[in-house]
Amino acid sequence: MTDTAPEPKRDAPPAIAGVLAPPPLIYLGFLAIGLILEFFVVRTQGLDMPASLRWTVVAVLGLAGLAAIAAAVLRFRRAGTPAPPWLPTTAFVVEGIYRFTRNPMYLGMTLIYCAIAIAADAPVVFWMLIPLAVTIHYSVILREERYMAGKFGAAYIDYTNTVPRWL
């Protein structure tokens, strides 16, 4: 009889990504905090943009954000996998907008967030973009990436080495 250690148990990949909260709620939370600070606490002088430029930028950012989200959701539907990160992923999507960015939905939400900040003429909302980006990065994106790497292995790792997170 030999004294050998049992083989270590390999942990199965988690069933879901385990994000902190639904990303749209994280964006809305930071937006609400920024607007409350802007209008009830800090009261800045605004962005000092001519109205025609301001609304043009709002339209461009808002439409670009909606287009990015719609393109991503469409690709998820075609692949037969749910878009919400709190549901199990059933397919690895690399086509369409996913050839250019690994996170088109978060990119889209960020563009819409910026459009709302400009529409509200609220610089403090832009200040909140830094802690928002840090929160999304650490509590959503990195968790999703670990989940996807565990589920799809080398194919996903190769993808992360060729396609940027944002742009």
Side-chain angles (χ1 to χ4, degrees):
M1 184 163 154
T2 61
D3 191 24
T4 59
E7 245 184 79
K9 261 186 159 177
R10 292 194 179 149
D11 291 333
I16 58 172
V19 298
L20 174 69
L25 291 181
I26 295 172
Y27 277 88
L28 283 173
F30 276 91
L31 178 64
I33 291 168
L35 290 171
I36 289 167
L37 288 173
E38 176 70 46
F39 294 109
F40 298 107
V41 179
V42 179
R43 307 204 101 191
T44 67
Q45 295 296 317
L47 296 169
D48 196 29
M49 290 176 79
S52 60
L53 174 62
R54 188 167 106 209
W55 293 109
T56 300
V57 172
V58 166
V60 168
L61 291 176
L63 290 173
L66 288 173
I69 293 168
V73 169
L74 178 64
R75 285 294 166 181
F76 271 51
R77 284 196 180 141
R78 285 186 181 162
T81 191
W86 55 90
L87 296 174
T89 300
T90 59
F92 170 34
V93 179
V94 296
E95 298 166 341
I97 195 166
Y98 284 92
R99 291 179 296 147
F100 308 105
T101 174
R102 296 194 316 252
N103 297 294
M105 290 185 221
Y106 305 139
L107 175 61
M109 285 185 247
T110 301
L111 293 173
I112 292 168
Y113 178 95
C114 290
I116 293 169
I118 293 169
D121 199 22
V124 176
V125 176
F126 279 109
W127 302 345
M128 296 303 297
L129 191 57
I130 294 168
L132 169 59
V134 170
T135 301
I136 289 294
H137 179 76
Y138 287 102
S139 66
V140 177
I141 292 173
L142 290 183
R143 291 175 185 204
E144 285 181 349
E145 288 180 349
R146 278 191 299 273
Y147 168 70
M148 294 293 287
K151 186 157 188 152
F152 298 104
Y156 182 76
I157 304 281
D158 291 344
Y159 172 71
T160 64
N161 289 327
T162 58
V163 177
R165 271 194 187 109
W166 294 93
L167 281 179

